[in-house]
Structures are given as structure tokens and as C-alpha cells.
Amino acid sequence: MSGAKAGGPDGPDGAVLGPERDPGLQPERTALAWRRTVISAVVADLLIWRGWIHALNSGDAASGGHSAQLMGMGICAAMACLTTIVLVICAVGRIRALHTGVGPLGHESEIAAPALMLRTASAAIVALAVTTVCALGLGIS
């Protein structure tokens, strides 16, 4: 070795920077995965909303009564909409972070997904799954 530092070129303050970021196709694959997740959430939303609208147009709602089933379906529809909005916000943030410029990395955390965003997206997916199961249960009875 000829005295070159192992981490890559020196930064402006003399710190050793990491290697140049060459993302390859990783940002595109990640963006496609987020888009598939959002499309799945939208499909679940549409089915829940369809069930709620169907419940609104049937029996009790037509006569002016509001049953617990109808109110539960409305709550499921609102929760499904909120979880999908959270997923879209997480997806847009992650896609933007991955499509930032290619340059030297000061630290590996610059390309890693923030833990809070991943926890938020995971919680939204679990909440949507629970909401879907509840909507199915309310729609069957």
C-alpha cells in the first residue's frame, strides 16, 4: 500500500470520506416496491369504502337508522384512508431520499432508511391489515 487512506478521498476538513455512492438500480427497485405497497393499500381502501357505501345504501341506513355495523364500517373506512396517506408520505420520502445525487458519503447512515420512517410505515401496514379484518368481520355479519 502506498500510504493512501483506506476509506477513500479526504474531505474538506481532512476527514476520510466513504466511497462514492453508486446506487445502481437499487433506488428504482425500492421505488417500485413502495409503489406496489401503496397500490395494495389503495385496493384495500377501495374495497372497504365500497363495503361501507353498500352498507349505507342498504336496509337500516335507508330508513334513517345508524346501526353499530354501519358506524364500524365508517370507522374502518376512515382508518384505511389515514393509513394509506401515511404510507404514501413514507413512500414519497424514501423515494426522494434514494434519488438524491450521487456523491461521496460521509457516513453510511446517509443511505440507510430512517428507523422512524420504517416503524411508521410498518405500523400503518399493520393498522391497515387490522382495519381490513375488522371491515370483513363487520361486512359478514
Side-chain angles (χ1 to χ4, degrees), residues 59-76:
D60 291 337
S63 64
H66 293 288
S67 68
Q69 177 186 8
L70 184 63
M71 292 174 63
M73 287 294 289
I75 291 170
C76 288

Side-chain angles (χ1 to χ4, degrees), residues 7 19 37-38 43 47 51 59-60 74 81-82 85 102 114 117 119 126 129 140:
T37 302
V38 169
V43 168
L47 292 174
D60 291 337
C81 184
L82 288 174
I85 290 170
V102 175
M117 192 230 9
R119 287 184 194 133
V126 169
I140 291 172

Side-chain angles (χ1 to χ4, degrees), residues 7-9 16-20 104-107:
V16 176
L17 296 177
E20 287 282 321
L105 296 175
H107 194 270

Side-chain angles (χ1 to χ4, degrees), residues 8-136:
D10 288 340
D13 59 354
V16 176
L17 296 177
E20 287 282 321
R21 179 171 181 239
D22 181 18
L25 294 176
Q26 191 253 338
E28 183 179 351
R29 286 191 310 265
T30 301
L32 289 171
W34 276 106
R35 287 182 184 126
R36 284 190 306 265
T37 302
V38 169
I39 287 171
S40 299
V42 168
V43 168
D45 283 2
L46 291 175
L47 292 174
I48 291 170
W49 279 85
R50 178 179 167 257
W52 184 46
I53 290 170
H54 180 69
L56 281 172
N57 292 330
S58 68
D60 291 337
S63 64
H66 293 288
S67 68
Q69 177 186 8
L70 184 63
M71 292 174 63
M73 287 294 289
I75 291 170
C76 288
M79 282 297 296
C81 184
L82 288 174
T83 56
T84 301
I85 290 170
V86 168
L87 278 174
V88 168
I89 291 169
C90 290
V92 168
R94 184 64 181 145
I95 290 168
R96 283 186 181 164
L98 285 174
H99 284 291
T100 55
V102 175
L105 296 175
H107 194 270
E108 295 221 4
S109 67
E110 292 178 17
I111 58 171
L116 180 61
M117 192 230 9
L118 291 177
R119 287 184 194 133
T120 303
S122 298
I125 290 170
V126 169
L128 182 59
V130 169
T131 300
T132 304
V133 169
C134 290
L136 287 173

